[in-house]
Amino acid sequence: MTDTNGPLIIIGGHEDKEGDRAILAEVARRVAGGRLVIATVASRKPEGYFDAYREAMAPLGVTDLVELYLDSRDDAFDPAQGVLIEGATGVFFSGGDQQRIADMIRGTPVEQQLRRLRARGGVIAGTSAGASMMGTTMMVGGASEQSHRIGDLRMTEGLGLIQGVIIDQHFAERGRIGRLLGAVAAHPEAIGIGIDEDTAIVVEDGGFSVIGDGAVTIVDASGASLPDRGASGTLSIRDVRLHLLSEGNVFDLAGRIVDPRAAAA
Amino acid sequence: MTDTNGPLIIIGGHEDKEGDRAILAEVARRVAGGRLVIATVASRKPEGYFDAYREAMAPLGVTDLVELYLDSRDDAFDPAQGVLIEGATGVFFSGGDQQRIADMIRGTPVEQQLRRLRARGGVIAGTSAGASMMGTTMMVGGASEQSHRIGDLRMTEGLGLIQGVIIDQHFAERGRIGRLLGAVAAHPEAIGIGIDEDTAIVVEDGGFSVIGDGAVTIVDASGASLPDRGASGTLSIRDVRLHLLSEGNVFDLAGRIVDPRAAAA
């Protein structure tokens, strides 16, 4: 279900940058003294992002940082950009618009460089839009703080660094359970993963563990009823399995079960 | 699980008062030409509530409206208040603070009058705080728009007009799935019912049907793992059953299943 390569660190946005920085410390640990590329591609106005991460990462021992920005898709074919990733042990995607990441990178040499980085054990991290784009299928748009109305959600292709999941972010803070249920109702073969702010999943070896302050909500519609729309157009679906995970929990993606290690112990 | 008496109409707040008024029309239908008591007890400043409902109900044919307000718990022992309900076919609780409703009414003659009203087939409706107080156990406080931290939620006794459920309101709009999961994690014998704005459940004959614009979210933790707290204090729980219902869906409370009528057809 996942590649057997370097880890992914998928962050729900607003990771702490001034306090204990638990999530960025995990990124630093995985970068292991190497170079970290800060990819600000998600934003049309990337000014400030790179400096913020440089300041936040320095006390964590990550001092070799470079920025990857693409003004246009053409830039992703510029060999100079690929070189940035070639020399790195990690890439961190900052927030913005997940569609912009996919538009700039899918099918370009930069995407190939990302896959090569992982194949040699490098880490790819992403926060907010940088989290959503990790999946094969990603949400763009979709309302917050309302129950899902059928037809309200647009799904497109992400970078596919992790298969079989649909990721949402700023999850509890923006009241997004409605749209994630809408997404898995339309794609019941995918596991819905909603990640709170200052919370992350570390994906490796076919599963993930949770770190950070909030929760990770899993919605599994593989055994659910066919979705249905009421007279109001609002989604109706029954028998969705829901798990709420917090720091230290482990989820097995293939088995769709929580804490197989704990259960085996 | 519910009394075999008059219906309850439990509304998630902000029911439409100017458009098609689908929910208020259902209240009007159940009041059936009789008197409707508007109980503004939930609010410390009830001015305006009664007039708003008088204006909204008049075009629906409900013109015999009286207001029930209690300045203090002592007022609930005043025989004049009980007389208001004696002559009515329905009582409608407006919004405010569910704790105030319980404090003013529990164990008083007004509560007895409410039970007598139901026993003779009358309807009790409530919106927002007037919805939360219907259960035996009700939430007061509890954060919106964040995942639940163990210890963050206070539960107290409601009026107990419906047993075995915990009701939350303004559900999708205020991102309250976190606190409802916290409530059922602590009370797994109860069914959690989260009602969106301009949406209601009509409870009768041991079940309920959904009316209105949004969704009703059911969380059933009866088969879930024991709740656990991570290092962050954030709730962890697995194998919660979730149903999302919309207009026309029917839920059987004793069997904890959706649409038994549809399944039997």
Side-chain angles (χ1 to χ4, degrees):
Chain A
M1 183 161 277
T2 55
D3 297 349
T4 55
N5 304 322
L8 302 173
I9 300 179
I10 309 179
I11 311 164
H14 282 319
E15 66 284 353
D16 175 54
K17 294 182 191 67
E18 293 170 353
D20 69 358
R21 288 169 243 211
I23 292 167
L24 295 183
E26 182 66 19
V27 175
R29 196 172 74 79
R30 303 299 184 128
V31 169
R35 170 175 294 172
L36 178 63
V37 175
I38 303 292
T40 56
V41 180
S43 182
R44 275 176 194 79
K45 295 192 169 183
E47 291 77 16
Y49 284 96
F50 180 69
D51 288 341
Y53 282 104
R54 186 162 52 185
E55 282 173 34
M57 297 303 289
L60 300 170
V62 181
T63 52
D64 184 5
L65 267 75
V66 294
E67 182 172 7
L68 171 66
Y69 188 72
L70 303 171
D71 268 318
S72 70
R73 188 174 164 85
D74 287 347
D75 283 358
F77 291 86
D78 176 351
Q81 302 292 356
V83 169
L84 288 182
I85 298 175
E86 267 172 26
T89 57
V91 176
F92 186 106
F93 283 86
S94 56
D97 173 6
Q98 53 265 41
Q99 185 69 62
R100 191 173 195 280
I101 301 176
D103 288 347
M104 296 286 142
I105 291 183
R106 282 191 61 240
T108 73
V110 168
E111 184 181 26
Q112 292 166 26
Q113 291 287 353
L114 288 170
R115 295 190 189 282
R116 267 182 232 137
L117 171 80
R118 282 194 81 198
R120 61 177 190 269
V123 55
I124 300 179
T127 188
S128 193
S132 285
M133 66 79 183
M134 297 259 186
T136 313
T137 301
M138 69 179 183
M139 280 184 262
V140 287
S144 295
E145 295 177 356
Q146 68 172 56
S147 293
H148 180 67
R149 285 170 192 272
I150 290 177
D152 255 12
L153 189 60
R154 199 159 66 86
M155 310 284 296
T156 68
E157 274 188 86
L159 290 194
L161 298 169
I162 174 172
Q163 263 99 57
V165 307
I166 298 171
I167 291 165
D168 207 353
Q169 17 80 10
H170 300 282
F171 191 71
E173 293 78 9
R174 298 191 186 170
R176 288 180 162 173
I177 181 88
R179 75 184 207 177
L180 189 60
L181 288 170
V184 296
H187 297 270
E189 75 289 353
I191 299 171
I193 303 178
I195 308 174
D196 287 357
E197 294 179 357
D198 198 24
T199 308
I201 63 173
V202 181
V203 183
E204 54 191 337
D205 304 331
F208 65 77
S209 56
V210 176
I211 58 174
D213 201 46
V216 173
T217 303
I218 309 285
V219 289
D220 177 354
S222 59
S225 69
L226 287 176
D228 183 23
R229 59 189 290 166
S232 60
T234 298
L235 173 66
S236 167
I237 186 170
R238 48 190 181 277
D239 288 315
V240 174
R241 232 172 127 194
L242 180 145
H243 313 295
L244 200 65
L245 311 186
S246 62
E247 189 158 58
N249 278 138
V250 175
F251 189 79
D252 173 44
L253 283 159
R256 298 186 170 217
I257 49 170
V258 181
D259 268 346
R261 292 178 211 176
Chain B
M1 183 160 275
T2 57
D3 297 350
T4 54
N5 303 322
L8 302 173
I9 300 180
I10 309 179
I11 310 164
H14 282 319
E15 66 284 354
D16 175 54
K17 295 182 190 67
E18 294 170 352
D20 69 359
R21 287 169 245 210
I23 292 167
L24 295 182
E26 181 66 18
V27 174
R29 195 171 75 77
R30 301 299 184 128
V31 169
R35 170 176 294 171
L36 178 63
V37 175
I38 303 292
T40 56
V41 180
S43 182
R44 275 176 195 79
K45 296 193 170 182
E47 291 77 18
Y49 284 96
F50 179 71
D51 289 341
Y53 282 104
R54 187 164 50 188
E55 281 175 33
M57 297 303 290
L60 301 170
V62 182
T63 52
D64 184 5
L65 267 75
V66 294
E67 181 172 6
L68 172 66
Y69 187 71
L70 303 171
D71 268 318
S72 69
R73 188 175 164 84
D74 287 346
D75 283 358
F77 292 85
D78 177 352
Q81 302 291 355
V83 169
L84 288 181
I85 298 175
E86 267 171 26
T89 56
V91 176
F92 186 106
F93 283 86
S94 55
D97 174 6
Q98 52 264 42
Q99 186 68 64
R100 192 173 195 280
I101 301 176
D103 288 347
M104 296 287 141
I105 290 183
R106 281 191 61 239
T108 73
V110 169
E111 184 182 25
Q112 293 167 24
Q113 290 287 352
L114 288 170
R115 295 189 190 282
R116 268 182 234 138
L117 172 80
R118 282 194 83 198
R120 62 176 190 268
V123 56
I124 300 179
T127 188
S128 193
S132 285
M133 67 80 183
M134 297 260 186
T136 312
T137 301
M138 69 179 183
M139 278 185 264
V140 286
S144 295
E145 294 177 355
Q146 67 174 54
S147 293
H148 181 67
R149 285 171 191 271
I150 289 177
D152 254 11
L153 189 59
R154 200 159 65 86
M155 309 284 295
T156 68
E157 274 187 86
L159 291 193
L161 299 169
I162 175 171
Q163 264 99 57
V165 307
I166 297 170
I167 291 165
D168 206 354
Q169 18 79 11
H170 300 282
F171 191 70
E173 292 79 8
R174 297 190 187 171
R176 287 179 161 174
I177 181 88
R179 74 184 208 178
L180 189 59
L181 288 169
V184 296
H187 297 269
E189 74 290 355
I191 300 172
I193 303 178
I195 309 175
D196 287 357
E197 294 178 358
D198 198 22
T199 307
I201 62 172
V202 181
V203 183
E204 54 191 336
D205 304 331
F208 66 77
S209 56
V210 177
I211 58 173
D213 200 46
V216 173
T217 302
I218 308 286
V219 289
D220 178 354
S222 59
S225 68
L226 287 176
D228 184 23
R229 58 188 292 167
S232 60
T234 299
L235 173 67
S236 167
I237 187 170
R238 48 189 182 278
D239 288 315
V240 175
R241 229 171 129 195
L242 180 146
H243 312 295
L244 200 65
L245 311 187
S246 62
E247 189 158 59
N249 278 137
V250 174
F251 189 79
D252 173 44
L253 282 160
R256 298 187 170 218
I257 50 170
V258 181
D259 268 346
R261 294 178 210 175

